[in-house]
PDB file of all heavy atoms in Angstrom:
ATOM      1  N   TYR A 125     -10.606 -19.988   0.129  1.00 86.00           N
ATOM      2  CA  TYR A 125      -9.553 -20.549   1.090  1.00 86.00           C
ATOM      3  C   TYR A 125      -9.501 -22.045   1.064  1.00 86.00           C
ATOM      4  O   TYR A 125     -10.565 -22.712   1.182  1.00 86.00           O
ATOM      5  CB  TYR A 125      -9.876 -19.982   2.481  1.00 86.00           C
ATOM      6  CG  TYR A 125      -8.817 -20.326   3.481  1.00 86.00           C
ATOM      7  CD1 TYR A 125      -7.560 -19.811   3.483  1.00 86.00           C
ATOM      8  CD2 TYR A 125      -9.119 -21.315   4.509  1.00 86.00           C
ATOM      9  CE1 TYR A 125      -6.585 -20.185   4.498  1.00 86.00           C
ATOM     10  CE2 TYR A 125      -8.254 -21.615   5.474  1.00 86.00           C
ATOM     11  CZ  TYR A 125      -6.942 -21.041   5.390  1.00 86.00           C
ATOM     12  OH  TYR A 125      -6.045 -21.378   6.443  1.00 86.00           O
ATOM     13  N   LEU A 126      -8.263 -22.593   1.004  1.00 82.00           N
ATOM     14  CA  LEU A 126      -8.008 -24.050   0.974  1.00 82.00           C
ATOM     15  C   LEU A 126      -7.259 -24.522   2.129  1.00 82.00           C
ATOM     16  O   LEU A 126      -6.479 -25.434   2.021  1.00 82.00           O
ATOM     17  CB  LEU A 126      -7.393 -24.402  -0.370  1.00 82.00           C
ATOM     18  CG  LEU A 126      -8.115 -24.129  -1.593  1.00 82.00           C
ATOM     19  CD1 LEU A 126      -7.350 -24.439  -2.876  1.00 82.00           C
ATOM     20  CD2 LEU A 126      -9.561 -24.777  -1.740  1.00 82.00           C
ATOM     21  N   ARG A 127      -7.354 -23.838   3.277  1.00 76.00           N
ATOM     22  CA  ARG A 127      -6.666 -24.213   4.543  1.00 76.00           C
ATOM     23  C   ARG A 127      -5.063 -24.223   4.301  1.00 76.00           C
ATOM     24  O   ARG A 127      -4.512 -23.218   4.019  1.00 76.00           O
ATOM     25  CB  ARG A 127      -7.288 -25.531   5.086  1.00 76.00           C
ATOM     26  CG  ARG A 127      -8.709 -25.380   5.493  1.00 76.00           C
ATOM     27  CD  ARG A 127      -9.279 -26.621   6.160  1.00 76.00           C
ATOM     28  NE  ARG A 127     -10.693 -26.301   6.600  1.00 76.00           N
ATOM     29  CZ  ARG A 127     -10.943 -25.784   7.819  1.00 76.00           C
ATOM     30  NH1 ARG A 127      -9.975 -25.516   8.699  1.00 76.00           N
ATOM     31  NH2 ARG A 127     -12.197 -25.590   8.132  1.00 76.00           N
ATOM     32  N   ASN A 128      -4.470 -25.408   4.590  1.00 72.00           N
ATOM     33  CA  ASN A 128      -3.078 -25.541   4.568  1.00 72.00           C
ATOM     34  C   ASN A 128      -2.418 -25.843   3.240  1.00 72.00           C
ATOM     35  O   ASN A 128      -1.232 -26.279   3.176  1.00 72.00           O
ATOM     36  CB  ASN A 128      -2.579 -26.669   5.678  1.00 72.00           C
ATOM     37  CG  ASN A 128      -2.955 -26.283   7.030  1.00 72.00           C
ATOM     38  OD1 ASN A 128      -3.087 -25.162   7.415  1.00 72.00           O
ATOM     39  ND2 ASN A 128      -3.311 -27.336   7.894  1.00 72.00           N
ATOM     40  N   ASN A 129      -3.164 -25.607   2.205  1.00 69.00           N
ATOM     41  CA  ASN A 129      -2.623 -25.747   0.884  1.00 69.00           C
ATOM     42  C   ASN A 129      -1.697 -24.645   0.492  1.00 69.00           C
ATOM     43  O   ASN A 129      -2.112 -23.628  -0.068  1.00 69.00           O
ATOM     44  CB  ASN A 129      -3.789 -25.884  -0.203  1.00 69.00           C
ATOM     45  CG  ASN A 129      -3.261 -26.304  -1.534  1.00 69.00           C
ATOM     46  OD1 ASN A 129      -2.147 -26.234  -1.824  1.00 69.00           O
ATOM     47  ND2 ASN A 129      -4.299 -26.589  -2.402  1.00 69.00           N
ATOM     48  N   ASP A 130      -0.423 -24.825   0.747  1.00 68.00           N
ATOM     49  CA  ASP A 130       0.586 -23.761   0.508  1.00 68.00           C
ATOM     50  C   ASP A 130       0.904 -23.568  -0.982  1.00 68.00           C
ATOM     51  O   ASP A 130       1.579 -22.599  -1.370  1.00 68.00           O
ATOM     52  CB  ASP A 130       1.874 -24.031   1.243  1.00 68.00           C
ATOM     53  CG  ASP A 130       1.665 -23.768   2.703  1.00 68.00           C
ATOM     54  OD1 ASP A 130       0.852 -23.022   3.099  1.00 68.00           O
ATOM     55  OD2 ASP A 130       2.426 -24.492   3.593  1.00 68.00           O
ATOM     56  N   THR A 131       0.349 -24.477  -1.838  1.00 73.00           N
ATOM     57  CA  THR A 131       0.638 -24.313  -3.301  1.00 73.00           C
ATOM     58  C   THR A 131      -0.329 -23.332  -3.802  1.00 73.00           C
ATOM     59  O   THR A 131      -0.248 -22.804  -4.942  1.00 73.00           O
ATOM     60  CB  THR A 131       0.474 -25.637  -4.051  1.00 73.00           C
ATOM     61  OG1 THR A 131      -0.771 -26.198  -3.878  1.00 73.00           O
ATOM     62  CG2 THR A 131       1.521 -26.715  -3.630  1.00 73.00           C
ATOM     63  N   ASP A 132      -1.434 -23.027  -3.157  1.00 78.00           N
ATOM     64  CA  ASP A 132      -2.444 -21.971  -3.516  1.00 78.00           C
ATOM     65  C   ASP A 132      -2.022 -20.722  -2.961  1.00 78.00           C
ATOM     66  O   ASP A 132      -1.924 -20.544  -1.744  1.00 78.00           O
ATOM     67  CB  ASP A 132      -3.797 -22.388  -3.046  1.00 78.00           C
ATOM     68  CG  ASP A 132      -4.908 -21.432  -3.388  1.00 78.00           C
ATOM     69  OD1 ASP A 132      -5.149 -21.309  -4.543  1.00 78.00           O
ATOM     70  OD2 ASP A 132      -5.401 -20.736  -2.469  1.00 78.00           O
ATOM     71  N   VAL A 133      -1.861 -19.712  -3.855  1.00 81.00           N
ATOM     72  CA  VAL A 133      -1.424 -18.329  -3.426  1.00 81.00           C
ATOM     73  C   VAL A 133      -2.342 -17.707  -2.434  1.00 81.00           C
ATOM     74  O   VAL A 133      -1.911 -17.081  -1.422  1.00 81.00           O
ATOM     75  CB  VAL A 133      -1.143 -17.516  -4.748  1.00 81.00           C
ATOM     76  CG1 VAL A 133      -0.771 -16.118  -4.220  1.00 81.00           C
ATOM     77  CG2 VAL A 133      -0.083 -18.087  -5.604  1.00 81.00           C
ATOM     78  N   PHE A 134      -3.604 -17.801  -2.769  1.00 84.00           N
ATOM     79  CA  PHE A 134      -4.607 -17.152  -1.836  1.00 84.00           C
ATOM     80  C   PHE A 134      -4.515 -17.764  -0.498  1.00 84.00           C
ATOM     81  O   PHE A 134      -4.498 -16.936   0.485  1.00 84.00           O
ATOM     82  CB  PHE A 134      -5.996 -17.314  -2.470  1.00 84.00           C
ATOM     83  CG  PHE A 134      -7.025 -16.653  -1.708  1.00 84.00           C
ATOM     84  CD1 PHE A 134      -7.403 -15.317  -1.975  1.00 84.00           C
ATOM     85  CD2 PHE A 134      -7.739 -17.302  -0.679  1.00 84.00           C
ATOM     86  CE1 PHE A 134      -8.438 -14.682  -1.311  1.00 84.00           C
ATOM     87  CE2 PHE A 134      -8.770 -16.683   0.017  1.00 84.00           C
ATOM     88  CZ  PHE A 134      -9.037 -15.347  -0.288  1.00 84.00           C
ATOM     89  N   SER A 135      -4.596 -19.062  -0.375  1.00 85.00           N
ATOM     90  CA  SER A 135      -4.524 -19.686   0.977  1.00 85.00           C
ATOM     91  C   SER A 135      -3.184 -19.407   1.705  1.00 85.00           C
ATOM     92  O   SER A 135      -3.190 -19.131   2.881  1.00 85.00           O
ATOM     93  CB  SER A 135      -4.745 -21.198   0.785  1.00 85.00           C
ATOM     94  OG  SER A 135      -5.924 -21.517   0.101  1.00 85.00           O
ATOM     95  N   SER A 136      -2.166 -19.537   0.925  1.00 84.00           N
ATOM     96  CA  SER A 136      -0.775 -19.342   1.606  1.00 84.00           C
ATOM     97  C   SER A 136      -0.676 -17.877   2.115  1.00 84.00           C
ATOM     98  O   SER A 136      -0.107 -17.641   3.183  1.00 84.00           O
ATOM     99  CB  SER A 136       0.268 -19.552   0.532  1.00 84.00           C
ATOM    100  OG  SER A 136       1.541 -19.242   1.091  1.00 84.00           O
ATOM    101  N   THR A 137      -1.299 -16.897   1.359  1.00 84.00           N
ATOM    102  CA  THR A 137      -1.221 -15.549   1.755  1.00 84.00           C
ATOM    103  C   THR A 137      -2.045 -15.358   2.955  1.00 84.00           C
ATOM    104  O   THR A 137      -1.601 -14.602   3.887  1.00 84.00           O
ATOM    105  CB  THR A 137      -1.790 -14.605   0.635  1.00 84.00           C
ATOM    106  OG1 THR A 137      -0.916 -14.838  -0.516  1.00 84.00           O
ATOM    107  CG2 THR A 137      -1.737 -13.110   1.029  1.00 84.00           C
ATOM    108  N   TRP A 138      -3.243 -15.846   2.993  1.00 88.00           N
ATOM    109  CA  TRP A 138      -4.055 -15.695   4.220  1.00 88.00           C
ATOM    110  C   TRP A 138      -3.437 -16.353   5.466  1.00 88.00           C
ATOM    111  O   TRP A 138      -3.407 -15.843   6.486  1.00 88.00           O
ATOM    112  CB  TRP A 138      -5.565 -16.348   3.978  1.00 88.00           C
ATOM    113  CG  TRP A 138      -6.472 -15.325   3.600  1.00 88.00           C
ATOM    114  CD1 TRP A 138      -6.987 -15.069   2.447  1.00 88.00           C
ATOM    115  CD2 TRP A 138      -7.083 -14.358   4.537  1.00 88.00           C
ATOM    116  NE1 TRP A 138      -7.994 -14.037   2.455  1.00 88.00           N
ATOM    117  CE2 TRP A 138      -8.031 -13.574   3.773  1.00 88.00           C
ATOM    118  CE3 TRP A 138      -6.934 -14.152   5.916  1.00 88.00           C
ATOM    119  CZ2 TRP A 138      -8.721 -12.544   4.329  1.00 88.00           C
ATOM    120  CZ3 TRP A 138      -7.637 -13.018   6.537  1.00 88.00           C
ATOM    121  CH2 TRP A 138      -8.537 -12.340   5.663  1.00 88.00           C
TER     122      TRP A 138
END
Side-chain angles (χ1 to χ4, degrees):
Y125 185 68
L126 300 176
R127 294 185 176 271
N128 295 330
N129 186 349
D130 287 332
T131 60
D132 178 67
V133 175
F134 183 89
S135 304
S136 177
T137 299
W138 260 107

